[in-house]
Amino acid sequence: MSDKIKITIDGKAIEAELGQTILEAADAAGIYIPRLCAHKDLLPIGSCRVCTVIVDGRPQASCVKPVMDGMVIENDTEELLQHRRNIIDMMFVEGNHFCMFCEKSGNCELQALAYRFGITAPQYPFQFPEKDVDASHPDILLDHNRCIMCARCVRASQELDGKNVFQSIGRGFDRKIGVNGEKALGDTDMDVNDKAADICPVGCIIKKRVGFETPYGERLYDKEPIGSDIEKGATA
Amino acid sequence: MGKPRVATTSLAGCFGCHMSFLDIDERILDLIELVDFDRSPIDDIKHISQRCAIGLVEGGCCNEENVHVLYEFRENCDILISFGDCATMGGIPTLRNNIPLKECIDEAYRDGVTVYNPKNIVPQDPEIPLLLDKVYPCHEVVKIDYFLPGCPPSADCLWAALTALLTDKPVELPYELLKYD
Ligand code: SF4
Ligand code: SF4
Ligand code: SF4
Ligand code: FES
């Protein structure tokens, strides 16, 4: 078949298919490229830049960059690790992350990446920004303190739920997730069974009355780093 | 040569990190074979008496006294460790950081629902350290050499870091011991 091509990632030759992104091809080959805004059920938008790799000498977001025959890709390098750490550090200081009482702790992708990268404390000054908590919805809590602006909720609501509950509003430091309702989430047609209710990588969109269900030690990322599933099971 | 000295302190923290430290249980007997304790809430020594190899700091800085103690530790300890989320990131006390200080004080001494303060007095005795505008993690005040996050960090985490330092090995926490909660 002509759509099979060859690329190398960190010196390892792998087979990929035209039409795949670098991230998808790496996943299929059991190579984990860290990512945050990308999600397998959503169209990629390439916004967080955690998945940046070096393609033929140039930095590219692997979740949006399609594979091409003969691409030479660097992923697991000291420089990229530092770059990814910097992004995660910024996300921590630009929000208010109190993992000790966060319902998402142990299952949070931001925290899990920090653990995987061995971050013991962010290197940037903490901003302690003022953010709201929207508890208006009967079943769902929206805690903007923890939002990392990945827009997964925006895409999930549109692409998977056929709704349009979330939207990014504002610019720069003041950018935030807004809701398409009179005032707050409770005024929208958001339902607790929507895909968007389960898509948030952090503890910003939280279902009420189910927090802390899994005991400490048994949560998703307690024992093994995020990405271990991909590294263990090549899907192709 | 004497044993290396270890000093510990609790700044803007809840003492939970020190409790977790005591959770090393009987390993504390091994530890006192290896080190002598200088200033610490454990022995109630009030000031560092001589040069220390390791200083362990619980809690960040919420008032001027915290800053003075942190300076004393930085000046007198070869290696300074922030242990616990309060020390490494500010932790729970930083919940006040986006509330103006005056509002915090009014809530605590004047307006809070459980406050009984008929004379409307806000404590301002010179003995009481002045509050800082915000709560700061230790590394925003002095240089910190190692960070052990967690609220509190587990006894195993503290033990792993201390034994590594005392045996001249790199402080590398195994994956399961690096936690922020
Ligand atoms: S969202 Fe994640 S990083 Fe933020 S407080 Fe919750 S567990 Fe911690
Ligand atoms: S609410 Fe969650 S899913 Fe939506 S942008 Fe914020 S972090 Fe991403
Ligand atoms: S980190 Fe947690 S246990 Fe340690 S002093 Fe702060 S609140 Fe207490
Ligand atoms: S995962 Fe690719 S940019 Fe966010």
Side-chain angles (χ1 to χ4, degrees):
Chain A
M1 294 275 278
S2 62
D3 55 358
K4 293 270 185 211
I5 56 164
K6 289 234 181 331
I7 60 174
T8 61
I9 301 183
D10 294 329
K12 189 179 165 211
I14 64 165
E15 206 164 75
E17 280 170 45
L18 280 180
Q20 276 181 323
T21 62
I22 295 175
L23 191 80
E24 287 166 337
D27 280 0
I31 296 171
Y32 176 66
I33 300 175
R35 81 286 308 262
L36 208 39
C37 65
H39 186 282
K40 60 177 177 28
D41 299 332
L42 302 173
L43 296 172
I45 53 167
S47 84
C48 74
R49 301 281 145 169
V50 170
C51 70
T52 299
V53 292
I54 305 292
V55 182
D56 300 326
R58 297 170 62 131
Q60 302 278 2
S62 63
C63 70
V64 285
K65 182 75 183 167
V67 289
M68 288 195 299
D69 197 27
M71 269 181 170
V72 178
I73 297 158
E74 291 167 44
N75 169 47
D76 192 7
T77 69
E78 199 46 51
E79 195 189 341
L80 284 170
L81 176 64
Q82 192 53 53
H83 164 85
R84 290 165 184 161
R85 277 193 185 131
N86 295 348
I87 297 175
I88 300 299
D89 279 2
M90 282 187 245
M91 288 177 176
F92 268 93
V93 301
E94 286 175 3
N96 295 305
H97 293 275
F98 295 92
C99 297
M100 69 293 276
F101 60 75
C102 179
E103 299 88 331
K104 193 77 173 187
S105 194
N107 301 311
C108 168
E109 294 177 38
L110 174 67
Q111 185 192 60
L113 284 171
Y115 291 168
R116 183 177 171 117
F117 300 156
I119 296 173
T120 51
Q123 60 191 314
Y124 303 119
F126 284 86
Q127 305 298 307
F128 300 113
E130 218 180 314
K131 306 259 181 180
D132 306 326
V133 177
D134 175 354
S136 60
H137 194 284
D139 304 314
I140 300 161
L141 186 74
L142 196 58
D143 184 345
H144 294 283
N145 289 288
R146 305 163 179 165
C147 181
I148 54 165
M149 293 306 301
C150 67
R152 277 198 201 172
C153 54
V154 178
R155 286 173 283 156
S157 187
Q158 291 170 355
E159 294 168 23
L160 307 177
D161 300 325
K163 299 184 181 178
N164 193 12
V165 174
F166 300 100
Q167 207 87 75
S168 325
I169 52 175
R171 289 256 165 240
F173 197 70
D174 298 321
R175 196 151 147 257
K176 61 176 273 192
I177 284 295
V179 294
N180 284 312
E182 196 59 41
K183 273 207 229 72
L185 191 63
D187 309 319
T188 68
D189 57 352
M190 176 92 185
D191 184 86
V192 68
N193 297 312
D194 286 355
K195 292 277 196 294
D198 278 315
I199 209 89
C200 184
V202 292
C204 181
I205 301 176
I206 285 281
K207 289 183 185 169
K208 292 183 178 176
R209 297 176 294 278
V210 292
F212 312 109
E213 249 182 342
T214 320
Y216 192 102
E218 291 168 29
R219 301 165 304 179
L220 215 45
Y221 306 117
D222 274 337
K223 295 201 184 78
E224 288 191 327
I226 187 169
S228 299
D229 51 340
I230 291 171
E231 287 166 334
K232 270 186 229 157
T235 54
Chain B
M1 222 176 73
K3 291 188 257 180
R5 300 184 77 77
V6 174
T8 81
T9 188
S10 176
L11 307 178
C14 75
F15 264 95
C17 290
H18 272 81
M19 297 306 287
S20 189
F21 183 35
L22 295 180
D23 267 345
I24 62 173
D25 297 328
E26 73 283 357
R27 284 174 291 185
I28 200 147
L29 297 175
D30 299 331
L31 188 62
I32 50 179
E33 289 296 317
L34 292 172
V35 302
D36 283 326
F37 276 93
D38 204 288
R39 172 179 179 158
S40 168
I42 297 170
D43 52 29
D44 212 21
I45 297 175
K46 303 293 188 201
H47 284 284
I48 294 183
S49 67
Q50 50 185 286
R51 190 89 201 145
C52 291
I54 301 172
L56 281 168
V57 181
E58 164 189 323
C61 291
C62 78
N63 64 32
E64 53 174 357
E65 195 226 354
N66 296 153
V67 176
H68 293 155
V69 176
L70 188 56
Y71 282 166
E72 178 181 317
F73 270 69
R74 181 67 279 179
E75 274 161 29
N76 294 290
C77 301
D78 296 340
I79 293 170
L80 199 55
I81 306 176
S82 274
F83 80 119
D85 288 345
C86 291
T88 63
M89 339 192 171
I92 304 273
T94 62
L95 281 168
R96 83 154 154 97
N97 277 12
N98 43 44
I99 304 169
L101 192 54
K102 181 164 183 317
E103 263 178 59
C104 294
I105 290 179
D106 284 346
E107 182 68 17
Y109 295 109
R110 293 191 171 112
D111 308 332
V113 280
T114 56
V115 171
Y116 177 73
N117 184 4
K119 288 191 183 149
N120 200 25
I121 293 170
V122 172
Q124 44 182 327
D125 191 290
E127 287 288 305
I128 301 173
L130 282 177
L131 290 175
L132 304 181
D133 62 335
K134 282 185 179 165
V135 180
Y136 296 87
C138 293
H139 67 275
E140 292 187 12
V141 180
V142 299
K143 179 179 187 295
I144 297 290
D145 303 299
Y146 294 99
F147 301 87
L148 303 175
C151 183
S154 65
D156 288 339
C157 167
L158 289 163
W159 181 250
L162 276 181
T163 47
L165 282 173
L166 291 168
T167 52
D168 282 332
K169 301 215 175 71
V171 183
E172 278 161 10
L173 293 178
Y175 179 80
E176 323 77 66
L177 295 186
L178 175 59
K179 291 273 174 283
Y180 297 166
D181 58 6

